[in-house]
Amino acid sequence: MSDFNATITGVQGWVPEHVLSNKDLEKMVDTNDEWIRTRTGIVERRLLKGEDLATSDMAVECVERLISKTGIAKEEVDLIVFATVTPDMVMPDTANTLCDKLGLENAFGFDLKAACSGFIYAITVGSQFIQTGMYKKVIVVGGDKMSSIINYEDRATCIIFGDGCGAVLLEPTKEQIGYRDAVLKSDGSGREFLYITAGGSKKPATKETVEAGEHFVIQEGRSVFKYAVKGMCSVVEELMKRNQLEISDIDWIVPHQANKRIITSVASSLKFPMEKVTMNIHKYGNTTAATIPLCLWEWENQFKKGDNIILTAFGGGFTWGAVWITWGYEAG
Ligand code: UT7
């Protein structure tokens, strides 16, 4: 280990223009605006439209802006860690495609698949490369084109998800800021509640699997909801306990945006004030790996240097966790 820590020195988000509102969904499935708002907090979500447009295309828009905003040169980027469950293709990795499309000639990259916890896993992985002293400029991306794996005839899933992308730049620091600690968990027995049946090595895609819609997400929402609240509360508490942090030491909680009721339940269990919890689910829905960096992007101007921020997520796998960061700059 070197004596450097990894800190976020810039954040950027990008969402597609096309809006799919609750009213639009009323025309597609048996649902209504009132049910969606009260059960999830979602009002609209963004969808990536356009032939051949994929997750990497959202990341190109996002990372190009991040690079120009932070003023680094493309040649300086060492590594891209790309959290996604909707890669452009099963292979190669979307990170490789992104490096090529952006001309990041000196970077290598790989995808990381941990569903809605993808970003918190990925920022942990990216930070290690800086803390060891191996690399100086690591970009962590969370991006998903969920509309590519959602069945718009299934009201249990199509009302929730949206498309989007967020990214952060990690750089070394000698200050007491940046990535501090994480509690990360997974439990494969949760795979029966949130999954895609076909398209993997267990059940490769065939004409029959496609006709049966087995390439779409299946979710047993009520069970996932319960595990999500319990899981996120317990990792946040474990993280705080082992770092002797009190609730009053935490300035912000940035939770995965899956359901407004999950977020408010977690905050209430932790006795944490909602005005210090980031929430933009009403605009974007659940963008899987993108929710946390999209929140960091939208709250960047409110964060102050030295703020203690906890990122927490729960998702398919099951995967879940919490990451403690100390914010390193004032954007305003
Ligand atoms: O991000 C990855 C992890 N995912 C999550 O964290 C998602 C966790 N789960 C959830 O957010 C919620 O479970 C959902 C939003 C998916 C569903 O909300 P719910 O309050 O758990 O609803 P439910 O599935 O228990 O269904 C309640 C009722 C049912 O009707 P009956 O049986 O009570 O008559 C459903 O058929 O609501 C009905 N329903 C709907 N009604 C209108 C289910 N979906 C809809 C819908 N519109 N879209």
Side-chain angles (χ1 to χ4, degrees), residues 116-117 185 190 193-194 219-236 255-267 269-270 286 312-316 318-322:
C116 298
S117 307
K185 307 266 184 188
F193 300 110
L194 183 47
Q219 177 174 241
E220 213 281 79
R222 211 178 295 190
S223 304
V224 179
F225 188 110
K226 279 189 245 153
Y227 284 110
V229 174
K230 208 168 141 227
M232 287 201 275
C233 287
S234 79
V235 285
V236 172
H256 170 53
Q257 312 281 303
N259 186 316
K260 184 180 176 183
R261 289 184 298 127
I262 295 179
I263 296 170
T264 52
S265 298
V266 169
S269 291
L270 294 169
N286 181 349
T312 184
F314 188 95
F318 290 136
T319 55
W320 70 107

Side-chain angles (χ1 to χ4, degrees), residues 7-318:
T7 191
I8 296 175
T9 54
V11 53
Q12 185 65 41
W14 191 85
V15 290
E17 256 178 58
H18 182 85
V19 173
L20 181 71
S21 69
N22 292 349
K23 288 281 173 204
D24 295 327
L25 282 162
E26 283 181 3
K27 295 175 205 139
M28 296 157 69
V29 287
D30 180 15
T31 191
N32 58 79
D33 178 48
E34 163 73 12
W35 191 96
I36 303 172
R37 279 176 196 251
T38 52
R39 304 308 290 172
T40 70
I42 303 168
V43 178
E44 59 186 40
R45 63 294 287 143
R46 302 296 184 95
L47 300 195
L48 184 65
K49 296 276 184 185
E51 209 176 327
D52 287 341
L53 290 182
T55 299
S56 71
D57 296 297
M58 295 193 289
V60 165
E61 298 290 346
C62 182
V63 175
E64 186 86 61
R65 285 169 173 79
L66 177 69
I67 288 172
S68 100
K69 175 179 175 180
T70 52
I72 60 167
K74 286 188 174 173
E75 310 83 73
E76 292 181 276
V77 180
D78 298 303
L79 166 63
I80 299 277
V81 186
F82 202 135
T84 186
V85 286
T86 51
D88 289 16
M89 300 164 81
V90 173
M91 67 169 269
D93 278 13
T94 310
N96 305 154
T97 305
L98 178 65
C99 290
D100 177 53
K101 286 183 175 175
L102 280 177
L104 305 180
E105 287 172 8
N106 297 322
F108 83 105
F110 57 87
D111 291 2
L112 188 155
K113 210 153 164 259
C116 298
S117 307
F119 186 79
I120 59 169
Y121 277 32
I123 196 170
T124 299
V125 171
S127 294
Q128 310 307 305
F129 282 99
I130 297 219
Q131 287 172 339
T132 57
M134 193 168 176
Y135 294 122
K136 291 193 168 53
K137 294 206 170 18
V138 174
I139 293 178
V140 178
V141 187
D144 272 300
K145 184 187 171 187
M146 292 306 291
S147 59
S148 66
I149 54 170
I150 292 301
N151 179 357
Y152 285 92
E153 293 180 356
D154 175 14
R155 71 176 184 174
T157 50
C158 73
I159 56 137
I160 303 167
F161 293 99
D163 302 338
C165 185
V168 297
L169 173 65
L170 295 175
E171 293 185 84
T173 179
K174 285 196 164 182
E175 291 183 65
Q176 279 289 304
I177 52 170
Y179 181 94
R180 308 296 293 270
D181 194 14
V183 173
L184 302 175
K185 307 266 184 188
S186 63
D187 177 0
S189 68
R191 67 189 180 280
E192 67 185 276
F193 300 110
L194 183 47
Y195 57 91
I196 296 175
T197 311
S201 58
K202 185 178 175 192
K203 195 169 190 184
T206 62
K207 187 166 161 278
E208 289 72 29
T209 65
V210 172
E211 277 168 3
E214 291 179 344
H215 52 298
F216 293 129
V217 171
I218 304 285
Q219 177 174 241
E220 213 281 79
R222 211 178 295 190
S223 304
V224 179
F225 188 110
K226 279 189 245 153
Y227 284 110
V229 174
K230 208 168 141 227
M232 287 201 275
C233 287
S234 79
V235 285
V236 172
E237 280 165 351
E238 187 180 336
L239 183 67
M240 288 175 60
K241 191 169 172 209
R242 91 170 174 211
N243 290 287
Q244 288 97 46
L245 291 168
E246 302 293 332
I247 284 292
S248 56
D249 297 320
I250 307 301
D251 297 287
W252 296 93
I253 291 183
V254 179
H256 170 53
Q257 312 281 303
N259 186 316
K260 184 180 176 183
R261 289 184 298 127
I262 295 179
I263 296 170
T264 52
S265 298
V266 169
S268 153
S269 291
L270 294 169
K271 301 191 173 43
F272 193 79
M274 268 311 288
E275 59 274 17
K276 291 288 185 178
V277 178
T278 64
M279 195 152 56
N280 57 14
I281 189 168
H282 55 289
K283 293 193 288 186
Y284 306 135
N286 181 349
T287 53
T288 302
T291 63
I292 289 179
L294 282 175
C295 277
L296 293 176
W297 173 53
E298 293 203 323
W299 266 261
E300 185 190 21
N301 286 337
Q302 294 188 54
F303 296 153
K304 301 210 163 28
K305 187 168 182 182
D307 277 359
N308 286 312
I309 303 176
I310 291 190
L311 320 176
T312 184
F314 188 95
F318 290 136

